[in-house]
Amino acid sequence: MTTRSCPCGLPEAYEKCCGRFHSGAAAAPTAEALMRSRYSAFVKGDAGYLLRTWHPRTRPERLDLDPGMRWTGLEILDTAGGSAFHTTGTVTFRASYRGGSLHERSGFERVDGAWVYVDGEFLA
């Protein structure tokens, strides 16, 4: 790893940003932080982290990531709830990849105090 900025778009180095969540050294404190860390996990090809941070009732048994997918940027468009004072939250974002973009509103909940991804709605 280099000290370049984190793939999630924040200026911190990966190790001090999403890397600490991926390694288990810390838990994402907000729904937005979890969403950013999940985007970084897609960039890094970390299917294990994606499954660990997926709500048990909606989590697939396995996740096969496309090794040819090249994610190129993340833009947070809106957030609702999802802070330390909430039990649910939504994050609307646009994730760009070589050849297009994905626009989604993701839902998050706390399970045993930790934020997890529940599901998402694709937007036009």
Side-chain angles (χ1 to χ4, degrees):
M1 292 287 144
T2 67
T3 57
R4 293 182 321 154
S5 61
C6 190
C8 80
L10 294 177
E12 291 87 6
Y14 168 75
E15 294 80 9
K16 292 184 183 212
C17 193
C18 293
R20 62 197 171 113
F21 305 141
H22 294 173
S23 71
T30 64
E32 181 182 334
L34 180 65
M35 198 270 120
R36 286 180 177 278
S37 72
R38 286 178 56 84
Y39 169 81
S40 291
F42 275 104
V43 171
K44 299 285 187 182
D46 189 346
Y49 179 78
L50 293 166
L51 289 170
R52 285 192 309 277
T53 58
W54 209 311
H55 197 291
R57 81 169 179 267
T58 58
R59 177 177 43 223
E61 286 189 31
R62 55 183 265 182
L63 183 62
D64 297 318
L65 300 178
D66 179 354
M69 179 65 94
R70 295 293 175 254
W71 295 98
T72 59
L74 176 65
E75 180 183 6
I76 302 297
L77 304 172
D78 189 42
T79 61
S83 77
F85 303 105
H86 298 102
T87 57
T88 63
T90 61
V91 179
T92 304
F93 66 92
R94 182 173 293 110
S96 300
Y97 56 89
R98 194 172 296 152
S101 67
L102 170 79
H103 187 191
E104 181 178 312
R105 180 179 303 114
S106 294
F108 298 88
E109 289 180 16
R110 283 189 188 265
V111 172
D112 296 328
W115 285 107
V116 292
Y117 169 78
V118 178
D119 57 20
E121 172 189 2
F122 294 116
L123 304 171

